[in-house]
Amino acid sequence: MQNHHKVLIIGGGTAGIMVAAQLIEQKNFTDVAIIEPADTHYYQPAWTLVGAGTYDYEKTARPMASVIPKQATWVKDKATGFDPENNTVHTANSGDLTYDFLVVAPGLTYDMSMVPGLGDALDKGVVCSNYTDPEHTWKVIQNFKGGTALFTQPATPIKCGGAPQKIMYLAESHWRKTGVTDKTDIVFATPGTVIFGVPEIKKTLMEVVDRKDINLRFFHKLVELDAENQIAWYELTKDPAGEGVSLTSGEDFKDLEGTFVHNFKNVKVTVKDGRFGIHYDMLHTAPPSVAPEFIRNSSLVNDAKWLEVDQYTMQHKRFSNIFGLGDVAGLPTAKTGAAIRKQVPVVVDNIITLMQHQQTGNKEYNGYSSCPLVTDYGKMVLAEFDYDNKFTPDPKLKQMLVFNSDKEHWRLWMLKKYMLPYLYWNKMMRGQDV
Ligand SMILES: Cc1cc2nc3c(=O)[nH]c(=O)nc-3n(C[C@H](O)[C@H](O)[C@H](O)COP(=O)(O)OP(=O)(O)OC[C@H]3O[C@@H](n4cnc5c(N)ncnc54)[C@H](O)[C@@H]3O)c2cc1C
């Protein structure tokens, strides 16, 4: 096997395949190798719909061999470490591979040890996650017959930050249809301070939250899960004493309406040793997320242990022939496939210009990311934003007769359910611009 490649890519996910495909299809570049151990490539954005029973899980999976470009070399192996001074990547079984340019895109991984109890409980009984088993989520939603439905998320960065609330909106719609809503308190407990960081989107989502009578709880950092007693334990990231409130029982949260709480519901809460345990009858969460271990243990990371790249050029800050993108990258924006769509042309352009002119190109990534917030079966809001959390709707939406994507729209639902999967498999995976 050839051990040296002009461009070596780690990871055959959304980011790795798109970089390879654009280099090959748009730049006629052929000496590309992808290190990827998995047999299957997933279109993860549709897992939200799978969890709500409106999309087949099988349709989100395709053989890896079908998405890796034919002209690329597939090294079916795991990268295990780096020697960046010698342009070398170590692998588990294929020895050392060398490169002229390296693209690091192995996504992120889950670290259940950050929330003791979660790993053992997840995807069993009433504890579910669209991130790990969306089919189980749908079973939990269908089996739920009332009580406290707790939707939550960890304090780490996660993929598609909006996904933990999308499934809540869809679950509420399902329970409304089946008559369960009347017997249910829906709680969204988040370490965040607002429902969404983009003001236009926040406004719409707060209307949705009020329509669905959802209890929001902010500053809630999930620290432990007691699955046996069905209690999710939280620490508050801001001292409620600053608001003049001391919390000794669940009912005291009522006094924090407007800051820590919105639409207070008197669900059962146990207060113990400065921790607040919310009792649940079903729970959905995203898992705590970190960069893969071989990245965290390398010299390529920033202080927070994510891949250290320049936020505009995607070039590594210390090794000019290394680029990184996708979920692994330490960027101050949301980790989404939509973000990757805008990062890839920057990476590709910079690599080609560096090869030809020994300097990076002019293209810059502005932090664009987007979050398709499904709010009901048949309704969606499309949050598109940049590094400044400025709302930046795609002008192409007008061609779909969507002029206000910060409002709920059935055309946006059609985009999510039908158009985006089509574009993903048939255009984006094949190196075409969309
Ligand atoms: C429930 C859910 C909902 C989402 N909703 C949306 C949405 O609506 N819109 C949106 O844009 N995004 C959404 N996303 C996020 C989106 O799917 C991710 O941001 C995107 O897939 C990240 O791409 P990536 O290439 O960085 O990582 P991935 O696609 O995760 O791929 C990483 C690849 O690297 C491989 N790999 C890992 N370790 C190694 C190693 N050591 N060596 C070699 N290869 C390795 C893996 O096998 C994998 O194939 C959602 C995600 C989830 C889970």
Side-chain angles (χ1 to χ4, degrees):
M1 193 181 69
Q2 186 189 336
N3 286 332
H4 182 87
H5 294 275
K6 283 203 174 139
V7 177
L8 182 62
I9 298 174
I10 300 178
T14 302
I17 298 292
M18 279 182 72
V19 169
Q22 288 199 12
L23 278 170
I24 291 165
E25 294 303 325
Q26 297 190 15
K27 308 290 180 188
N28 295 319
F29 190 80
T30 47
D31 188 7
V32 181
I34 304 175
I35 309 174
E36 167 60 64
D39 289 314
T40 310
H41 180 107
Y42 291 97
Y43 178 63
Q44 302 164 40
W47 289 354
T48 293
L49 303 178
V50 175
T54 181
Y55 205 91
D56 284 342
Y57 183 67
E58 293 75 51
K59 279 205 213 156
T60 71
R62 295 221 178 153
M64 190 61 76
S66 72
V67 293
I68 292 195
K70 295 281 169 287
Q71 298 89 330
T73 303
W74 179 7
V75 182
K76 195 169 184 313
D77 203 344
K78 262 187 180 173
T80 54
F82 302 89
D83 178 2
E85 279 83 9
N86 293 305
N87 300 329
T88 301
V89 171
H90 310 304
T91 66
N93 302 306
S94 311
D96 287 352
L97 301 177
T98 55
Y99 54 83
D100 288 349
F101 291 91
L102 177 67
V103 177
V104 183
L108 55 69
T109 189
Y110 302 132
D111 182 358
M112 301 298 178
S113 71
M114 294 172 92
V115 178
L118 179 61
D120 288 337
L122 203 61
D123 303 329
K124 294 184 200 108
V126 296
V127 179
C128 60
S129 174
N130 273 351
Y131 290 76
T132 48
D133 187 350
E135 289 183 303
H136 181 67
T137 303
W138 178 227
K139 281 188 203 136
V140 172
I141 290 174
Q142 285 174 295
N143 291 338
F144 183 66
K145 296 292 175 265
T148 299
L150 179 58
F151 292 84
T152 193
Q153 61 189 68
T156 64
I158 51 172
K159 299 181 201 223
C160 191
Q165 56 182 285
K166 298 178 203 175
I167 188 61
M168 170 174 71
Y169 301 137
L170 293 172
E172 188 278 339
S173 300
H174 177 75
W175 294 328
R176 198 164 5 102
K177 274 182 240 155
T178 53
V180 173
T181 304
D182 295 345
K183 294 174 265 171
T184 300
D185 288 318
I186 302 179
V187 178
F188 184 60
T190 164
T193 57
V194 287
I195 190 78
F196 209 88
V198 180
E200 290 86 344
I201 304 298
K202 175 186 161 187
K203 184 169 178 292
T204 301
L205 291 179
M206 288 307 277
E207 287 164 14
V208 173
V209 161
D210 287 344
R211 182 174 85 222
K212 293 175 179 279
D213 198 23
I214 292 168
N215 175 193
L216 305 180
R217 292 178 180 232
F218 300 111
F219 304 108
H220 276 60
K221 182 182 173 195
L222 182 66
V223 289
E224 196 172 341
L225 198 78
D226 175 355
E228 203 183 320
N229 296 302
Q230 301 194 175
I231 305 173
W233 287 99
Y234 293 91
E235 283 168 5
L236 300 187
T237 55
K238 186 181 167 193
D239 187 359
E243 305 289 324
V245 176
S246 94
L247 298 171
T248 54
S249 79
E251 233 167 306
D252 296 338
F253 277 89
K254 193 176 185 179
D255 299 333
L256 292 168
E257 180 75 44
T259 49
F260 284 63
V261 175
H262 179 79
N263 278 341
F264 174 76
K265 296 274 173 285
N266 196 10
V267 298
K268 189 171 175 196
V269 170
T270 299
V271 182
K272 198 174 153 194
D273 303 332
R275 286 180 163 190
F276 304 89
I278 302 181
H279 294 243
Y280 60 83
D281 296 293
M282 70 78 66
L283 177 141
H284 177 279
T285 189
S289 306
V290 294
E293 199 178 355
F294 79 104
I295 299 286
R296 275 182 286 140
N297 292 340
S298 77
S299 60
L300 302 182
V301 290
N302 61 19
D303 290 344
K305 302 273 182 201
W306 294 95
L307 191 77
E308 185 169 34
V309 290
D310 179 276
Q311 69 183 71
Y312 301 108
T313 62
M314 313 304 295
Q315 186 178 34
H316 195 272
K317 285 197 174 163
R318 279 163 285 123
F319 300 98
S320 60
N321 62 342
I322 299 182
F323 288 80
L325 76 167
D327 290 352
V328 74
L331 299 171
T333 193
K335 297 182 183 300
T336 66
I340 292 168
R341 184 180 134 236
K342 298 284 187 177
Q343 293 165 3
V344 171
V346 177
V347 170
V348 168
D349 191 65
N350 278 336
I351 289 178
I352 295 291
T353 345
L354 262 175
M355 265 177 200
Q356 292 169 347
H357 308 291
Q358 287 73 51
Q359 60 182 43
T360 53
N362 297 324
K363 282 194 181 158
E364 285 197 341
Y365 172 60
N366 71 354
Y368 174 93
S369 193
S370 107
C371 189
L373 289 141
V374 282
T375 51
D376 227 315
Y377 293 89
K379 284 187 192 163
M380 197 187 102
V381 177
L382 185 56
E384 294 178 281
F385 48 93
D386 59 15
Y387 280 134
D388 300 324
N389 267 347
K390 200 167 134 243
F391 184 49
T392 54
D394 190 330
K396 278 193 206 141
L397 287 172
K398 294 200 174 88
Q399 294 167 16
M400 280 179 63
L401 303 179
V402 175
F403 301 98
N404 46 0
S405 47
D406 56 333
K407 301 278 183 300
E408 292 172 283
H409 215 300
W410 74 268
R411 282 182 202 275
L412 290 172
W413 167 267
M414 303 302 271
L415 175 75
K416 166 90 187 161
K417 189 166 171 178
Y418 301 105
M419 274 177 71
L420 288 177
Y422 172 83
L423 292 173
Y424 184 81
W425 294 118
N426 298 299
K427 306 277 181 198
M428 289 160 70
M429 288 292 96
R430 296 194 183 157
Q432 295 175 30
D433 290 327
V434 287

